[in-house]
Amino acid sequence: TQLLEQSPQFLSIQEGENLTVYCNSSSVFSSLQWYRQEPGEGPVLLVTVVTGGEVKKLKRLTFQFGDARKDSSLHITAAQTGDTGLYLCARRGGSQGNLIFGKGTKLSVKP
Amino acid sequence: KAGVTQTPRYLIKTRGQQVTLSCSPISGHRSVSWYQQTPGQGLQFLFEYFSETQRNKGNFPGRFSGRQFSNSRSEMNVSTLELGDSALYLCASSLVRPSFNYGYTFGSGTRLTVV
């Protein structure tokens, strides 16, 4: 099973701090998606990365896909309370299109 | 336009009962996928329906079933409920069969508690 391991599992920081969360696999994957899920809601797609070494920025969020396409990271600069949520990475499950998710990093940003 | 609508939002059932959850996809979306989310296992794929046909199925027992209607609305059914079925059930719709070119839009989920 080509699992996605996310770390850390939990992260609690103060507003204004920077943070990085990670998504790793023992297998190469062709592309990866990052989602954010707020309490009581479904996941919302943030970004899709497809090329090894790719870096994408979404305001204060920076997503990186590892050169070997086995890992990815999400860096948040100057975290805000609105960044609180569960950050999930997902890869495509074979040719059928369903997503395989990591278990997520639960981020809490305190004012 | 309206997003993915799941009903009900919350549900409490007793062990042994059966339950039906409903999902209305975004207008025009033809694919509906269902996921189960628990604290221990995270998000796990249940099944995908496209054009009223089940196209893909995850590793869940036969107690979990679903269907899709001609208007693309979907229902999932869980029979003989067990305590471990307590979870957030998420529905996701896609314009065509899901891929990384055509991503999902998730609904807010149905929180099922089995007592």
Side-chain angles (χ1 to χ4, degrees), chain B residues 97-114:
Chain B
R97 294 206 60 206
S99 71
F100 269 29
N101 293 323
Y102 297 98
Y104 285 141
T105 300
F106 281 91
S108 298
T110 293
R111 171 74 62 187
L112 171 65
T113 302
V114 182

Side-chain angles (χ1 to χ4, degrees), chain B residues 1-20:
Chain B
K1 59 182 177 183
V4 179
T5 304
Q6 291 189 246
T7 57
R9 285 297 307 269
Y10 302 93
L11 205 50
I12 300 176
K13 289 286 188 178
T14 304
R15 244 183 330 176
Q17 287 186 314
Q18 68 94 26
V19 67
T20 299

